[in-house]
Amino acid sequence: MFRSATFRFAALVFLLQLVSAAALIVTIGIAVRRQLQTDAQRTVAVLRDDLRASYAAGGAAGVRREVALRTGQLVTPGTVLLLVDRDGKRVGGNLDAWPPSVTRDGHAKDVTLYRIGLNTAEPMHVEATRLPGGERLLVGTIVAGEVRAMRMLEQVSGVALPLALIFAALAAWIAARTIVNRLEEPLAALNAVAAGDLGARVPADGSRDALATLGVAINGALERVETLMGELRMATDGLAHDLKSPLTRMRVVLERAAGQVNDPAATESLDRAMAEADRLFALVQTALSITRAEAGIGREHFTAIDLAAELEGIAEMYAPLAEDQGRGLSVTAESIEPVTVHRELLAQALGNIIDNSLKYGAGPIALALTLLEGEVALTIADRGPGIPAARYDDALRRFGRLDDARQGGGAGLGLSLAAAVARLHGGGLVLSDAGPGLIVTITLPLP
Amino acid sequence: MANKVLLIEDDDATAEFVARGLTEEGFVVDRAANGRDGLFHATDGSYDCIVLDRMLPGIDGMGVLAAVRAAGIETPVIVLSALGAADDRIHGLTHGADDYLTKPFAFVELLARIRLLIRRGGATKAVETVLRCGDLEMDLLARRTRRAGKAIDLQPREFRLLEFMLRHVDQVVTRTMLLEGVWDYHFDPGTNVIDVHLSRLRKKVDEGFDRPLLHTVRGAGYRLGLEP
């Protein structure tokens, strides 16, 4: 995601560099060509106007004289002149014959012709004009230098374009490198926070550019997150305290009352009230445990334990209950290196899942520990009715009850606690179908 | 000579019930409503047990505990806490508390734990290798259990469960205490897990004998002893 974004940015820089270099070369080419053409046209126009003026002053003879003069010793270098009479016969000038490609009068053209006395054809810009007496005059100027200049420009462009390509690639690479390097620290800080280290921040680099400003903004947001987490922790603890003190008093009152009455019916009512108080308490406790686990609280209590032994221990704890229901409880565990976990919470998560199966599942319960690529999978599978795939989300939701009429006494927190515990470890919890039955898989990442 | 308990608790109602309950059970109870008074009383050193609320006005109970221990007072301390996450419990026990109870607690639970601490704080017994209760005896070295000379075959967990009961003969042992002492877990395992284990153990220990040793104490837990 980030990589492709960087790549796109680099590609954009590359393209822009290339386009701007190409645009520069093309623009220079066009401007130079324009300028050269304008110069040639102006030279020709001045020459034409001079000759027409000499016609006006001295008639056909005046023009002949002028043509002879300008193609003789008083040479303007690069002048091309040809004067023909009404029948098209050559009268004077430095061209042999009228070029057949130039027909219309007042029409300018670029042609390549031999001037008299020269043995190379030269590129020239010529214009035909008809004199008042019916004679035709071809006026022109040699543009060899201009053509050379244009060819030179083309050659230079041919060299400049590969150079521009190299510089564009270099600029793109530098831009991408800059972005990646400057984004590395904000990314590292954000990843650390996501992984639970709420104190991580983007180090200030002293520059005052947009990325530094971004770093400051990210730090502000992280600061807020940390503050909120602290407040959440205080709030949950406060809530726990506020709820538990009245509950404690209630329990104490009920206990004392139970000790003072001798009426069996009253005793039974008091026992029931106490059991309800305990259930309410357990519910509050579990809800708080989920909140704390979701908030990443408890990572400081992770210890390295033998997961296989822990799984055996949990199985052993619930085995008599399974046996009383006539159901088996088996453990298949690969022996692996100790894994760093929150033993207490993980045991509670596994206990909740087994407890769920004992209440709502059927058939043998199979616990398994499997070592996968970079993670450990703990699976709890039974052969009961399972859960329809469409209801997996409901099953994992807090207080999510799959069967509103069910007489379980649970509040639907077991699976959501297990999922929260899995997430606290940086892993996850997935439900799947054993056909028939339910498979609950907790994955824990290995360092 | 009655045992003296110091109760450091800011919540009047809870303090009153606990104090009254303990008095009825034969304890002499002093109460302090805040950390400073609590510390002042505790430094008398004349108490057999201190019950300390973790959340006191203006000071964390753990601070009071640290001050008590810093003053060289070795009196056993039970911390009462409404924080109640397993993490807080671990924190409490590693910071000088002898036991840790979360609110809401059953009074019998507190009573059982106070009695346990006071007895433990008494004369240090020589390390026993054989535990007895009536005609039931457990040899810890040979890992053998017999009743009236007849061998009882126990699973490893059952052995530890019975060992725990034998170490607390004639004392009420709550389900929570068993869960902590035998399984080292501090969460509610849901269904009646502990009861099922106990009823299996009872079958092995009491079945076929006239006199039951393992008794259920209604609303509290279990007791191993000769008297019902």
Side-chain angles (χ1 to χ4, degrees), chain B residues 14-127:
Chain B
T14 308
E16 192 189 320
F17 287 123
V18 170
R20 198 188 298 165
L22 289 175
T23 308
E24 281 172 15
E25 293 291 338
F27 291 91
V28 174
V29 184
D30 288 342
R31 182 206 164 190
N34 60 58
R36 218 189 36 221
D37 294 358
L39 190 57
F40 175 74
H41 280 290
T43 44
D44 287 357
S46 61
Y47 295 100
D48 300 296
C49 180
I50 297 172
V51 179
L52 167 68
D53 188 4
R54 172 139 189 202
M55 275 190 154
L56 291 165
I59 185 169
D60 181 21
M62 297 316 290
V64 177
L65 177 57
V68 166
R69 292 290 183 246
I73 295 154
E74 297 302 322
T75 312
V77 173
I78 298 184
V79 174
L80 299 182
S81 156
L83 299 176
D87 299 337
D88 299 315
R89 192 193 147 78
I90 296 163
H91 175 83
L93 292 178
T94 51
H95 284 72
D98 297 275
D99 204 348
Y100 200 99
L101 200 53
T102 53
K103 294 179 179 181
F105 53 86
F107 179 71
V108 284
E109 184 85 41
L110 178 66
L111 188 65
R113 287 168 187 258
I114 290 175
R115 289 219 163 107
L116 197 76
L117 282 182
I118 287 175
R119 183 181 292 198
R120 194 193 299 162
T124 45
K125 288 175 270 189
V127 181

Side-chain angles (χ1 to χ4, degrees), chain A residues 238-262:
Chain A
L239 177 69
H241 189 251
D242 293 351
L243 281 173
K244 289 176 187 180
S245 291
L247 270 173
T248 303
R249 291 200 289 270
M250 187 165 103
R251 254 216 78 118
V252 174
V253 173
L254 290 170
E255 264 186 273
R256 292 183 53 75
Q260 286 159 351
V261 298
N262 289 323

Side-chain angles (χ1 to χ4, degrees), chain A residues 249-307:
Chain A
R249 291 200 289 270
M250 187 165 103
R251 254 216 78 118
V252 174
V253 173
L254 290 170
E255 264 186 273
R256 292 183 53 75
Q260 286 159 351
V261 298
N262 289 323
D263 175 28
T267 305
E268 196 195 331
S269 298
L270 287 167
D271 280 352
R272 280 230 302 278
M274 268 195 276
E276 281 304 327
D278 287 349
R279 192 167 298 158
L280 177 62
F281 163 68
L283 197 146
V284 167
Q285 188 83 306
T286 308
L288 283 173
S289 293
I290 294 175
T291 305
R292 290 168 69 99
E294 295 279 16
I297 297 168
R299 287 204 176 89
E300 62 274 22
H301 293 283
F302 278 27
T303 47
I305 61 160
D306 178 353
L307 265 187

